Amino acid sequence: FKRKGLQVRPRSRTLTAVHEAILEDVVAPSEILGKRTRIGVDGSKVMKIILDPKDKDKENVEAKLATFSAVYKKLTNKEAQFVFPTA
């Protein structure tokens, strides 16, 4: 199954890198502080994306959190939950 002269796929072309780039673009005005992957008892995975609290009041970002989740789910078929850290 190995092809002769096959080169290593560049990092920018991997599925993980593409999904990371999509995530950055979806939350564009805000910045991502951290990511957590939560795996449920039934095996379902939910990514928790922690956004910068400084951007909370900027451009009505808090109202768009559900939209961020819906867009990311549609583009990547992965569940994501966007939250601001609680003090």
Side-chain angles (χ1 to χ4, degrees), residues 19-86:
H19 283 188
E20 292 285 323
I22 289 171
L23 187 60
E24 286 287 333
D25 290 345
V26 166
V27 297
S30 186
E31 273 190 56
I32 297 170
L33 284 186
K35 286 182 250 154
R36 308 281 183 273
T37 303
R38 186 138 185 263
I39 302 174
V41 181
D42 58 345
S44 62
K45 289 183 182 178
V46 177
M47 265 175 66
K48 272 185 126 175
I49 316 297
I50 301 154
L51 300 174
D52 197 349
K54 289 189 298 239
D55 303 327
K56 201 173 200 173
D57 43 303
K58 194 195 309 180
E59 294 184 41
N60 203 12
V61 172
E62 200 161 11
K64 297 178 186 173
L65 296 182
T67 309
F68 289 166
S69 295
V71 169
Y72 189 71
K73 169 81 172 146
K74 197 73 164 171
L75 292 173
T76 63
N77 208 21
K78 288 183 179 177
E79 290 288 337
Q81 184 180 21
F82 296 87
V83 293
F84 286 105
T86 51

